[in-house]
Each structure stands twice: as structure tokens, then as C-alpha cells.
Amino acid sequence: MPAAMAKSLAASKKKADRVEQEEPEEPSENGFVREYGDQEEESERSDAVGSSEDERSSGEGEKDGKDDGKIHQSSEESDSSEDEVAPRNTIGEVPLEWYKDEEHIGYDITGKKIRKHARKDKIDSFLAGVDDSKNWRKIYDEYNDEEVELTREEIRIIRRLLKGRTPHAEVDPYAPYVDWFDWEDKGHPLSNAPEPKRRFIPSKWEQKKVVQYVRAIRKGLIKFDKPKEEPPFYLLWGDDSSVAENKRHGLSYIPAPKPKLAGHEESYNPSIEYIPTQEEINSYQLMFEEDRPKFIPRRYESLRSVPAYENALKEGFDRCLDLYLCPRTRKKRINIDPESLRPKLPSKKDLKPYPLTCYLEYRGHSGPVNSISIEVSGQWIASGSTDGMVRIWEVETGRCLRVWDIGEAVQHIAWNPLPELPILAVSAGHEVHLLNTGLGDAEEKMHIKELLHVEEVLTDDAGNSASAVSWVQHEKHDGITLKHLKTVSTVEWHRKGDYFTTVMPSGDSRAVLIHQLSKKHTANPIKKLRAPAVSAVFHPTRPFFFISTKKNVRVYDLSKNKLIKKLEPGLREVSSIAIHPGGDNVIVGSKEGKMCWFDMDLSSQPYKRLPAHPKDITNVAFHRSYPLFASCSDDCTAYVFHGMVYSDLNQNPLIVPLEILHGHTSSNGRGVLDCKFHPRQPWLFTAGADSVIKLYCH
């Protein structure tokens, strides 16, 4: 805005000069010409003329009527002040000459171009001045590309400014001086007292500070930097490596190796003792080429007699070959301690407790133990084997409490997570058995007996004969049997204990089913997997459902019945899956011996890949309360890891390998088939192909 005001003021001054120099005459109302040149010499007469013009303009209004009054009103309302009228052009600080050859000048608030007005030539301007008696008041505003008509008050201000006077006549630049000082009873306006004595004697306070600094320096409390010692010798012509011309595009300059300085023997007239004899020259021919001296001194009478270097052309050619075929490079050798490259992990002593040694063995199965499951309280453990037997053991004593003969190899076994419902789900062949373990008080036993009772054969899909599952009462085992069309590989319970899921790898569209125990109902929410299913797990806190196929892990939202995430482990074949108790982290085991740790909030790609086992991983498991997770493999070992998940989202999980547990023996190429943590203690249970269950304690 100030720049626009300055431009308008300069244009006004230029117009006023033109009025004074080129057209100092203003046509009056009666056709006569009145000169202003002489009137401008005196300011009083100029003001008088201005007042007479105002009176005459009022007279014109009486004679001409309303038309002239409207013209006078429009001229009075026009104002070139930039503070009240905002500029139309928005070119900012751009010079106006940049728009000299353009058809527009600036842009409006909507971003559209503001086109220039057609400029008048000199003939049109002259004719406009003849037709319009007030054309001499108009000036062209280059910034806004418009003509502005000056008012009488603005013309009066411009005239006073051109004469070096104040813009307004009512301002008095030579006002009388007002003496603000009170002179009554004052001998002098300033003090003439003599200088005090303290200004001429040393300061005691400064002396104390100096003594403090001296004592601090003597005691060594204040230390000064020692001046850098400059070497006594320096290069006469400077260092070649510091020349700015040799630094090409920021790359480090590699100086050429400097040859050995010439000595006495390189002189054209050396002493006699430096000149070899003929016998010595002949002995040089018997040496190896790399052992021969590069230069043999010779003696010349004058410098003019010295011949040209005989190998100059050959050495120049060899140098070109070196630059072309083998350029010089600077190899920076970094001395790094290999121990420093290892990540700094906490000590194992600080991460205790975790399972270390085998404390107890559970023997009784005659075949490989495929699956184990621990009751919620941690007092009982159930196991299923290929010999068709399901056994319940007491954890602390190893006593076998109960045995069921299923009659078929048990694939998977899972205990109900509710303590008041000690029900065991067993998958064997095409059937899933819900067994009453007989634990609990009388009221709980009665409730379980009512829950595991089916009056008639129930099928899903409203009695469809080709249904996937049928609910049948099993009289022998006092439970319920769910008959499937295909072989069931795994069975897992929901955290509330009413729902459980079964997986049939060859079930195609009915591979994963969800069953409700209270209503004896079966649902098939996921029908398209595009890959054989391996296992399925419920989320510990949310209504999410994890289905692991051989290539990836798919996460579904059961409340919306849609896929929300797809985890890509990048492994050959997924074998098992486990969910962290917090629900935000997942570990996936594979048949190539690798484990993948996924952070659900981070990415669909693995956060860590752990190449743990040399053989297939059979199962992975998280501990419910301790920051531990484990994996078991066909190499007859179980690996225990420390996996701390922090509540701070900016801090990554801490994964530390702790222990490798041995003890199982191989049978038919199989090793440890399953592993589970104790729900309350840092204990690990492992089930092996050698029909033995082991308990590892801290």
C-alpha cells in the first residue's frame, strides 16, 4: 500500500509539473483564459484564487442546474488515497515494466487476468482536453491502470509540496518555542558540583575480583587453552592437497606420489666416487630387473652435453596406460571391532525367570504325542496321541487322572478357557469330540451335563443332507461329537468359551467353520480363502479372526464379516501361528525353520525374521503373563525367547534369544510336535514324537 501511494504521489507531481510548464492556463466558464503562472509565486494569492474558484463553482451550480452539481459531486467523491480504496491489481513487488508488453496487468482476487485499458494517443488526448474543461486535473495511475481526477484540495496540496511548504496551510512550521524548563529558584539548569573523589581512586570491588581470579588460576580452577604449536618447517609452495583447483566436484583429491628428491649422483657432473666402474656396470646386468638401479650416474663436461632422457616416451606411454586401465583410488580401511557390530542385548540374568531345565516327564502314551493343552488354572494338562488315547495329567505330580480311547489318531486338543467349563475339544479324523472331564463341583458338573446333551441329530443349513457338520450325542464318552466331511486338523476356543473353530485343510469353501456350543449351531463366515488353510485363531480381546494359509495370514473382522488385513510373511509354507496376549503382535512359524514377528500397528510385512531352527517348526506359543515366547521343531529342540512388547508405540518390541531346550529323541524323522506355556508360571511343556511330555522349569 505505501508503494502504491508513492507511485500515485509521483504521478500527481509529474502531472502538476506538466500543468505548470505545458498548460498553465485553465479555461473559465465565460470562455476567457486566466493565467496561473504568476499567481503561484505567492501562496496567499494562490489560496485566494482557490477560494474564488470554489465560489465560482457554486455559481456554476446555480446557473447550470443539476447536471453541473452532479459533476461537482462526482469530482469531490473521487479520491486517490490508497488507504481507503484498495488496489485492484495484485502484482505485489513485481516491477510494472514486466507487464509492458503484456495484454494484462496483474490478477484479481479470483486469479483472473486484469486486462489493460486502451491508451489514448496524443491526438485523442488533445481532443479530450478541448472537449473536457477539467481534463487537466486527470492523471494516469500506472499501478491500477486507470485515470484519477484530482480534487481541488489535492491540487492545492501538490502546489504547496512543490514549493517546499507544508501540505496543509493551517500548519505553522515556525510556531513559537515553548520553554518547558522551570527557571524559578534555579541557579543553573545542570549541576555544577565538583567531581567526587571515588572517581579518581582505584575501586576496591574490582581489586577483590582480581584477587579471586588470581587465586582461581593458581589453584587450577580456571584453565586456559594452550596455544597451538606451529611446526618449525613448512612447505615453501604450500600443500598440493589443499589447492582448491584440485578438488573436483566435492570429491577427495588424491595427490600423486612424490618422487625421491635428486641427490649428488643425479648431477650432470657428479664426484668421481659416485660414478660406477665398468665392472660394477657389468654386474648390474646379472641382477634381476627389479633389483637393478634405476639410474646410473654419468659425467658430462657441461650441461649442454647432457642428452635427452631415453625412456621419456616409453614412461609417458606407460603412465597413460596406468591412468586409462588402472586409475588411482584411495582405499579407506576401517578398523572395527566385530563385537561392536553385535546388538547390545540385556543380560540373561536380568531376563529371568524363564524355563531352563527339564523338571518332570509324563509317560504313558504309546505313540507320538501330537498335541497338548493346559487347563486355565494350570493344575491339569491334557494330551492327545496317535495311539488314539486322550489323557489328563496332574501337572505337579505327573499322575494320570483320566483316559479316553477315541479309537483314531488325535490331531489336536484344546481346553475350554473358562474355569467353570472344564470341557475338552478333541479332533480325530473327521470328528471333533467335546468331552466332559468330570472336574469341578456338583453344580458345574450338572451345568456341563446339560450343555453337552443333544436330543436328536442336528445339522447346519436347516437339515440339509449335504451339510458340513452334524451334532451327535456320544453315549460312550458322555459328550457331543461333531461329524465333518473332511479331516479336521485343528480346533481352537474363543476367549468366552461358547464358540470354537475347526479347520479342514481339504474342505475348500468349508475349510474354516465356527461352532456355538450353547445353541449347537455351525456357521461358515469365510468361504473364499484361495489357499489351503493351516490353522485359525481368535483374537484375545477384539472380534478379529486370524486364518493362516500356507502363504499368508488373513485377518477378518467377524462383526463386519470382511477382510481387514493380510499379513505377508514371505515364507515357503506357514505351519503355525500364535497371537500375543495384547493382540497387537503375531508370530508365524514355517516349515523352513524361520519365524516371523508381525506388528499389527506397523505394517503387513514382518518386523523381524528369526532363522531359528534347521528343520520344520511344528508350533509357536506365547506366554499369557510373562514376556516369553517359544518355538518347537523336528530337530528335537525348543527355543525360548524373551519378547517384551512396550505400551509406548514409539518403542519397538525387544526380542532376545534365551535358551535352547534339548531332551527329546527323534522318531521317524519327527522331533518335538507341540509346545505350550503354563498359564501362570514360567514353565514350558513340550510333546515329542518319542511319546514323552516334558516340563521345563526355571
Side-chain angles (χ1 to χ4, degrees), residues 306-323:
V306 178
Y309 183 49
E310 55 184 3
N311 295 328
L313 185 62
K314 181 178 180 301
E315 290 185 358
F317 180 73
D318 293 341
R319 177 61 177 165
C320 292
L321 289 179
D322 292 340
L323 294 175

mmCIF file of all heavy atoms in Angstrom, residues 306-323:
data_model
loop_
_atom_site.group_PDB
_atom_site.id
_atom_site.type_symbol
_atom_site.label_atom_id
_atom_site.label_comp_id
_atom_site.label_asym_id
_atom_site.label_seq_id
_atom_site.Cartn_x
_atom_site.Cartn_y
_atom_site.Cartn_z
ATOM 1 N N VAL A 306 74.443 -32.782 -21.875
ATOM 2 C CA VAL A 306 73.546 -33.796 -21.331
ATOM 3 C C VAL A 306 72.512 -34.153 -22.386
ATOM 4 O O VAL A 306 71.811 -33.275 -22.909
ATOM 5 C CB VAL A 306 72.851 -33.272 -20.059
ATOM 6 C CG1 VAL A 306 71.875 -34.314 -19.522
ATOM 7 C CG2 VAL A 306 73.895 -32.925 -19.007
ATOM 8 N N PRO A 307 72.372 -35.431 -22.775
ATOM 9 C CA PRO A 307 71.392 -35.810 -23.802
ATOM 10 C C PRO A 307 69.978 -35.857 -23.214
ATOM 11 O O PRO A 307 69.763 -35.747 -22.009
ATOM 12 C CB PRO A 307 71.870 -37.190 -24.234
ATOM 13 C CG PRO A 307 72.530 -37.753 -23.017
ATOM 14 C CD PRO A 307 73.163 -36.591 -22.305
ATOM 15 N N ALA A 308 69.019 -36.044 -24.077
ATOM 16 C CA ALA A 308 67.626 -36.184 -23.644
ATOM 17 C C ALA A 308 67.422 -37.535 -22.958
ATOM 18 O O ALA A 308 68.173 -38.489 -23.188
ATOM 19 C CB ALA A 308 66.688 -36.042 -24.835
ATOM 20 N N TYR A 309 66.376 -37.597 -22.132
ATOM 21 C CA TYR A 309 66.097 -38.834 -21.407
ATOM 22 C C TYR A 309 65.611 -39.877 -22.396
ATOM 23 O O TYR A 309 64.623 -39.675 -23.108
ATOM 24 C CB TYR A 309 65.042 -38.575 -20.316
ATOM 25 C CG TYR A 309 64.737 -39.774 -19.461
ATOM 26 C CD1 TYR A 309 65.758 -40.533 -18.881
ATOM 27 C CD2 TYR A 309 63.423 -40.167 -19.221
ATOM 28 C CE1 TYR A 309 65.479 -41.626 -18.098
ATOM 29 C CE2 TYR A 309 63.127 -41.265 -18.426
ATOM 30 C CZ TYR A 309 64.167 -41.997 -17.868
ATOM 31 O OH TYR A 309 63.892 -43.091 -17.090
ATOM 32 N N GLU A 310 66.252 -41.004 -22.405
ATOM 33 C CA GLU A 310 65.978 -42.001 -23.437
ATOM 34 C C GLU A 310 64.652 -42.735 -23.216
ATOM 35 O O GLU A 310 64.026 -43.183 -24.171
ATOM 36 C CB GLU A 310 67.135 -43.019 -23.480
ATOM 37 C CG GLU A 310 67.406 -43.674 -22.138
ATOM 38 C CD GLU A 310 68.617 -44.601 -22.183
ATOM 39 O OE1 GLU A 310 69.250 -44.679 -23.244
ATOM 40 O OE2 GLU A 310 68.887 -45.248 -21.156
ATOM 41 N N ASN A 311 64.185 -42.821 -21.983
ATOM 42 C CA ASN A 311 62.931 -43.533 -21.691
ATOM 43 C C ASN A 311 61.748 -42.584 -21.480
ATOM 44 O O ASN A 311 60.734 -42.988 -20.896
ATOM 45 C CB ASN A 311 63.099 -44.414 -20.449
ATOM 46 C CG ASN A 311 64.105 -45.529 -20.666
ATOM 47 O OD1 ASN A 311 64.246 -46.028 -21.787
ATOM 48 N ND2 ASN A 311 64.806 -45.920 -19.607
ATOM 49 N N ALA A 312 61.900 -41.342 -21.916
ATOM 50 C CA ALA A 312 60.824 -40.373 -21.663
ATOM 51 C C ALA A 312 59.548 -40.772 -22.393
ATOM 52 O O ALA A 312 58.445 -40.736 -21.821
ATOM 53 C CB ALA A 312 61.275 -38.974 -22.087
ATOM 54 N N LEU A 313 59.656 -41.160 -23.660
ATOM 55 C CA LEU A 313 58.466 -41.520 -24.425
ATOM 56 C C LEU A 313 57.816 -42.792 -23.886
ATOM 57 O O LEU A 313 56.586 -42.879 -23.755
ATOM 58 C CB LEU A 313 58.839 -41.691 -25.895
ATOM 59 C CG LEU A 313 57.676 -41.953 -26.855
ATOM 60 C CD1 LEU A 313 56.721 -40.775 -26.842
ATOM 61 C CD2 LEU A 313 58.199 -42.183 -28.269
ATOM 62 N N LYS A 314 58.635 -43.766 -23.531
ATOM 63 C CA LYS A 314 58.102 -45.030 -23.026
ATOM 64 C C LYS A 314 57.397 -44.835 -21.684
ATOM 65 O O LYS A 314 56.297 -45.355 -21.465
ATOM 66 C CB LYS A 314 59.249 -46.041 -22.889
ATOM 67 C CG LYS A 314 58.808 -47.427 -22.390
ATOM 68 C CD LYS A 314 59.996 -48.371 -22.336
ATOM 69 C CE LYS A 314 59.568 -49.749 -21.848
ATOM 70 N NZ LYS A 314 58.945 -49.717 -20.509
ATOM 71 N N GLU A 315 58.009 -44.078 -20.790
ATOM 72 C CA GLU A 315 57.393 -43.874 -19.480
ATOM 73 C C GLU A 315 56.121 -43.033 -19.587
ATOM 74 O O GLU A 315 55.164 -43.230 -18.841
ATOM 75 C CB GLU A 315 58.390 -43.204 -18.533
ATOM 76 C CG GLU A 315 59.539 -44.133 -18.123
ATOM 77 C CD GLU A 315 60.436 -43.490 -17.087
ATOM 78 O OE1 GLU A 315 60.162 -42.312 -16.743
ATOM 79 O OE2 GLU A 315 61.387 -44.137 -16.633
ATOM 80 N N GLY A 316 56.103 -42.085 -20.523
ATOM 81 C CA GLY A 316 54.871 -41.320 -20.732
ATOM 82 C C GLY A 316 53.734 -42.199 -21.234
ATOM 83 O O GLY A 316 52.574 -42.051 -20.814
ATOM 84 N N PHE A 317 54.067 -43.139 -22.133
ATOM 85 C CA PHE A 317 53.055 -44.067 -22.630
ATOM 86 C C PHE A 317 52.572 -44.996 -21.522
ATOM 87 O O PHE A 317 51.367 -45.261 -21.394
ATOM 88 C CB PHE A 317 53.639 -44.866 -23.797
ATOM 89 C CG PHE A 317 52.674 -45.858 -24.378
ATOM 90 C CD1 PHE A 317 51.600 -45.429 -25.154
ATOM 91 C CD2 PHE A 317 52.831 -47.215 -24.148
ATOM 92 C CE1 PHE A 317 50.707 -46.340 -25.682
ATOM 93 C CE2 PHE A 317 51.938 -48.131 -24.676
ATOM 94 C CZ PHE A 317 50.874 -47.690 -25.449
ATOM 95 N N ASP A 318 53.497 -45.481 -20.692
ATOM 96 C CA ASP A 318 53.103 -46.334 -19.568
ATOM 97 C C ASP A 318 52.222 -45.576 -18.571
ATOM 98 O O ASP A 318 51.290 -46.132 -17.989
ATOM 99 C CB ASP A 318 54.347 -46.874 -18.862
ATOM 100 C CG ASP A 318 55.124 -47.846 -19.735
ATOM 101 O OD1 ASP A 318 54.526 -48.365 -20.701
ATOM 102 O OD2 ASP A 318 56.321 -48.078 -19.466
ATOM 103 N N ARG A 319 52.533 -44.314 -18.399
ATOM 104 C CA ARG A 319 51.723 -43.510 -17.482
ATOM 105 C C ARG A 319 50.292 -43.344 -18.017
ATOM 106 O O ARG A 319 49.323 -43.413 -17.257
ATOM 107 C CB ARG A 319 52.384 -42.147 -17.300
ATOM 108 C CG ARG A 319 51.606 -41.190 -16.421
ATOM 109 C CD ARG A 319 51.441 -41.719 -15.028
ATOM 110 N NE ARG A 319 50.758 -40.787 -14.147
ATOM 111 C CZ ARG A 319 50.238 -41.102 -12.975
ATOM 112 N NH1 ARG A 319 50.315 -42.355 -12.545
ATOM 113 N NH2 ARG A 319 49.647 -40.198 -12.233
ATOM 114 N N CYS A 320 50.158 -43.152 -19.306
ATOM 115 C CA CYS A 320 48.825 -43.054 -19.903
ATOM 116 C C CYS A 320 48.049 -44.358 -19.756
ATOM 117 O O CYS A 320 46.832 -44.351 -19.503
ATOM 118 C CB CYS A 320 48.935 -42.665 -21.379
ATOM 119 S SG CYS A 320 49.538 -40.981 -21.642
ATOM 120 N N LEU A 321 48.757 -45.478 -19.905
ATOM 121 C CA LEU A 321 48.092 -46.761 -19.706
ATOM 122 C C LEU A 321 47.636 -46.928 -18.258
ATOM 123 O O LEU A 321 46.557 -47.468 -17.991
ATOM 124 C CB LEU A 321 49.028 -47.906 -20.107
ATOM 125 C CG LEU A 321 49.306 -48.075 -21.610
ATOM 126 C CD1 LEU A 321 50.265 -49.236 -21.833
ATOM 127 C CD2 LEU A 321 48.014 -48.315 -22.374
ATOM 128 N N ASP A 322 48.449 -46.461 -17.319
ATOM 129 C CA ASP A 322 48.062 -46.562 -15.913
ATOM 130 C C ASP A 322 46.812 -45.738 -15.627
ATOM 131 O O ASP A 322 45.906 -46.172 -14.904
ATOM 132 C CB ASP A 322 49.211 -46.098 -15.020
ATOM 133 C CG ASP A 322 50.396 -47.053 -15.088
ATOM 134 O OD1 ASP A 322 50.185 -48.215 -15.507
ATOM 135 O OD2 ASP A 322 51.516 -46.652 -14.738
ATOM 136 N N LEU A 323 46.767 -44.540 -16.193
ATOM 137 C CA LEU A 323 45.600 -43.684 -15.966
ATOM 138 C C LEU A 323 44.356 -44.250 -16.641
ATOM 139 O O LEU A 323 43.238 -44.077 -16.158
ATOM 140 C CB LEU A 323 45.875 -42.268 -16.477
ATOM 141 C CG LEU A 323 46.964 -41.490 -15.733
ATOM 142 C CD1 LEU A 323 47.214 -40.160 -16.434
ATOM 143 C CD2 LEU A 323 46.568 -41.255 -14.288
#
